[in-house]
Amino acid sequence: SSQIDCAPSSATRKPPVAGVRETERGASMSPQPHFLVLTFPLQGHIAPALRLARRLLVAAPDALVTFSTTEAAHRRMFPAEADAPDSGGGDDCRLELLPFSDGTETGYVRSSTDPAAFTDYMASFQAAGARSVGELVDALAVRGRPVTRVVYTMLLPWAADVAREKGLPSALYWIQPAAVLAVYYHYFHGHAAVVADHRHDPSFLVRFPGLPTQAVRDLPSFLTESTDPSDFFHSVYTTVRDLFDTLDRETPRATVLVNTCQELEEGALAAVGAYDALPIGPVLPSGDEAGLFKQDDAKYMEWLDAKPADSVVYVAFGSLARMEREQLDELLLGLEETGRPYLCVVRKDIKAELADGEASETEMDAPLKNGMVVEWCDQVRVLSHAAVGCFVTHCGWNSVMESVACGVPMVCVPKMSDQRMNAWLVECEWRVGARAEVSGDGVLRAAEVRRRVEEVMREGEAAGGARRAASEWKAAVVEALGKGGSSDRNLRVFLEGITSGVSL
Ligand code: UDP
């Protein structure tokens, strides 16, 4: 709403001043709660961070929030003042959007396949980021808007160090499942060797304290592939290692907000007892939200409106996954063969890559009998549409949480990071989907697409199948997020910790 929405570019338009409410506070009162929410500049990190920022504002009506990501991402999210929604926000804006520097003009540009380029970026992000965030904290204090707590997502362990140096409490905001938090925790606390010894054996079973047995192939890829210094993502591995070191330095215990809910991950949450882990999710968008991608026009919603309930297969692989021509062809062929209507996201950058690699014009615009292809959609709106009966997903945690919150069963096509564990949760823990297997050459074949989509859609039609489980989990999530629900209560515990000045 306009009350809590600052015009996104207000940060660059004029210096922020103390909120009206602050001036109403007596000098003896504790400072107005002010959360600085920091995030890595990826869509899958920005979205849950921005959603949390908005939830904090709603849950704590006297709090201020500053949302901050890198300058390049900030410019992409809010391209020009003219594009900024007119919120009518005045000096009492409670949400401010202020970027920090990662030491680069453009951010990380993916065109390079040189692993050193990514490692260099991560080093710059860390060094310049820590400096710049420190300056931001100081500048906000000078302006009479002092930060009272730093909240940071997973690839910014240095944010906790900056907070500590400034005498501020911090909280990690974990944007993956509690199960993955627990695996990382135990890996870095005594279980690294067993994983290292068997990392080339995908079916080897590992038992971490408090967790069900896991196959090595389902563990986060940063632990099985990226421990090798020559791996492209080795710097992600070292950053995650730094994160768990940082959490160990927190006294008495680190606070970790987790984008999950108690009901979904009871056991895994208990397995991270070393932290004050507070499940406060799944965080969901409240209306339109800014992001790194421009949405297609909403024709796809009209297209969905014309389809029967639970008939459409929605297909999307998030903001990062790439796709070869052969894979795209197999995918579309498999979808066509189901004979069901489908809405498939093929991002603009993937189309461009495919077109670059081919002499002929890309076939993307070839007539698709049953399908519609878009470059980017409002995924939560799509998943909320009654016509959508199944989601073929790469199992990024945001996508999984959005699908669970909307009660849509899934076909899982995980690749990297936490996606394989997320798929395991979907298939084995909550029974709201099926995992598709790629063939030996790493390609998901058309026949497998058709088979898994049919399995999930048929189970949807059958009593007691994936769709019924999905609607039961949806109800549990609605309850958790509602007033007095587990996530709502946990967010309040977090807020009370700050308003009373007590570090949780
Ligand atoms: N998303 C979207 N429109 C699309 C495709 C994806 O809004 O057409 C959003 C999706 O709702 C989710 C995010 O992009 O919030 C992707 O995050 P996720 O963790 O699923 O995957 P990642 O992009 O990090 O691999």
Side-chain angles (χ1 to χ4, degrees):
S1 80
S2 62
Q3 244 216 324
I4 58 168
D5 253 350
C6 242
S9 52
S10 68
T12 46
R13 196 169 51 218
K14 61 178 175 178
V17 296
V20 168
R21 282 163 209 270
E22 187 179 27
T23 55
E24 286 165 359
R25 287 174 166 249
S28 61
M29 289 180 75
S30 54
Q32 183 172 22
H34 180 184
F35 302 90
L36 174 60
V37 179
L38 300 163
T39 190
F40 196 76
L42 288 175
Q43 181 61 27
H45 297 215
I46 286 171
L50 201 48
R51 292 169 189 180
L52 176 67
R54 290 185 190 281
R55 276 200 61 206
L56 290 169
L57 289 170
V58 173
D62 67 340
L64 303 173
V65 175
T66 299
F67 171 86
S68 188
T69 188
T70 59
E71 285 161 351
H74 183 93
R75 278 196 305 273
R76 215 171 129 184
M77 290 170 77
F78 313 113
E81 232 181 296
D83 294 346
D86 179 15
S87 67
D91 286 347
D92 61 344
C93 288
R94 295 198 295 126
L95 174 62
E96 256 205 303
L97 306 147
L98 296 171
F100 65 85
S101 168
D102 60 8
T104 73
E105 260 302 302
T106 55
Y108 173 65
V109 182
R110 205 167 60 158
S111 58
S112 168
T113 49
D114 177 10
F118 183 63
T119 306
D120 289 351
Y121 174 74
M122 290 301 281
S124 170
F125 176 77
Q126 171 172 349
R131 202 165 43 240
S132 181
V133 166
E135 287 163 8
L136 180 61
V137 169
D138 291 344
L140 285 164
V142 168
R143 290 170 187 172
R145 205 172 161 112
V147 172
T148 57
R149 187 151 204 166
V150 174
V151 177
Y152 61 98
T153 55
M154 64 182 284
L155 295 178
L156 292 76
W158 45 265
D161 302 326
V162 172
R164 213 175 292 119
E165 277 159 28
K166 304 281 176 196
L168 296 172
S170 65
L172 167 67
Y173 175 29
W174 185 256
I175 52 173
Q176 295 186 347
V180 173
L181 178 68
V183 165
Y184 276 126
Y185 173 81
H186 290 294
Y187 177 92
F188 290 115
H189 292 86
H191 291 75
V194 66
V195 176
D197 289 349
H198 298 93
R199 70 192 185 98
H200 299 299
D201 181 359
S203 57
F204 184 81
L205 298 176
V206 192
R207 180 103 214 206
F208 295 104
L211 291 176
T213 307
Q214 291 288 329
V216 160
R217 74 168 197 159
D218 291 337
L219 298 179
S221 61
F222 300 130
L223 295 182
T224 53
E225 285 152 37
S226 309
T227 50
D228 190 335
S230 66
D231 185 77
F232 188 89
F233 292 112
H234 184 65
S235 53
V236 173
Y237 165 74
T238 56
T239 304
V240 175
R241 192 184 58 198
D242 291 349
L243 176 65
F244 284 84
D245 284 350
T246 292
L247 293 175
D248 283 346
R249 288 200 292 276
E250 295 288 330
T251 51
R253 281 141 67 92
T255 299
V256 185
L257 300 174
V258 190
N259 187 18
T260 188
C261 71
Q262 184 71 29
E263 291 74 6
L264 284 166
E265 293 205 78
E266 194 123 29
L269 284 158
V272 282
Y275 306 136
D276 282 318
L278 292 168
I280 49 87
V283 293
L284 296 170
S286 39
D288 287 347
E289 62 181 14
L292 295 178
F293 294 83
K294 201 174 155 300
Q295 244 187 71
D296 285 27
D297 60 33
K299 281 211 189 78
Y300 59 87
M301 290 306 288
E302 288 166 28
W303 182 87
L304 283 175
D305 286 344
K307 301 287 179 276
D310 297 327
S311 67
V312 173
V313 183
Y314 169 60
V315 188
F317 300 114
S319 60
L320 296 168
R322 308 172 106 143
M323 200 176 285
E324 306 282 335
R325 156 67 57 194
E326 185 186 11
Q327 180 60 86
L328 183 58
D329 288 346
E330 289 284 331
L331 178 68
L332 293 176
L333 182 63
L335 291 168
E336 283 290 339
E337 283 179 355
T338 65
R340 298 181 186 265
Y342 61 91
L343 174 64
C344 182
V345 178
V346 182
R347 294 191 322 268
K348 203 186 178 107
D349 57 302
I350 292 184
K351 281 188 181 179
E353 253 178 37
L354 293 178
D356 267 2
E358 285 167 20
S360 65
E361 191 46 33
T362 170
E363 295 297 310
M364 271 322 305
D365 298 325
L368 303 162
K369 238 170 90 212
N370 298 315
M372 176 164 195
V373 172
V374 292
E375 289 181 354
W376 191 260
C377 67
D378 182 335
Q379 179 162 298
V380 176
R381 246 180 112 198
V382 167
L383 289 170
S384 309
H385 198 288
V388 173
C390 152
F391 179 15
V392 179
T393 171
H394 73 312
C395 289
W397 187 241
N398 295 294
S399 293
V400 169
M401 282 296 90
E402 290 160 6
S403 204
V404 169
C406 295
V408 177
M410 287 163 260
V411 171
C412 304
V413 192
K415 277 230 156 94
M416 60 171 302
S417 184
D418 57 337
Q419 295 157 16
R420 297 172 301 192
M421 276 201 73
N422 303 347
W424 173 82
L425 288 166
V426 166
E427 187 178 40
C428 305
E429 290 278 286
W430 309 323
R431 302 188 179 280
V432 293
R435 179 170 168 164
E437 295 299 336
V438 294
S439 57
D441 55 3
V443 176
L444 173 64
R445 295 288 165 198
E448 178 72 355
V449 173
R450 190 189 58 225
R451 187 161 81 98
R452 296 299 179 185
V453 166
E454 278 311 315
E455 189 181 324
V456 168
M457 291 296 253
R458 248 199 332 271
E459 273 192 27
E461 283 145 20
R467 190 169 300 144
R468 170 136 148 236
S471 58
E472 284 168 7
W473 281 116
K474 175 183 172 177
V477 163
V478 167
E479 198 173 322
L481 292 174
K483 203 165 162 31
S486 59
S487 290
D488 179 57
R489 285 198 314 272
N490 286 328
L491 193 64
R492 277 173 209 289
V493 166
F494 175 67
L495 290 168
E496 275 153 27
I498 189 173
T499 45
S500 62
V502 177
S503 176
L504 286 168

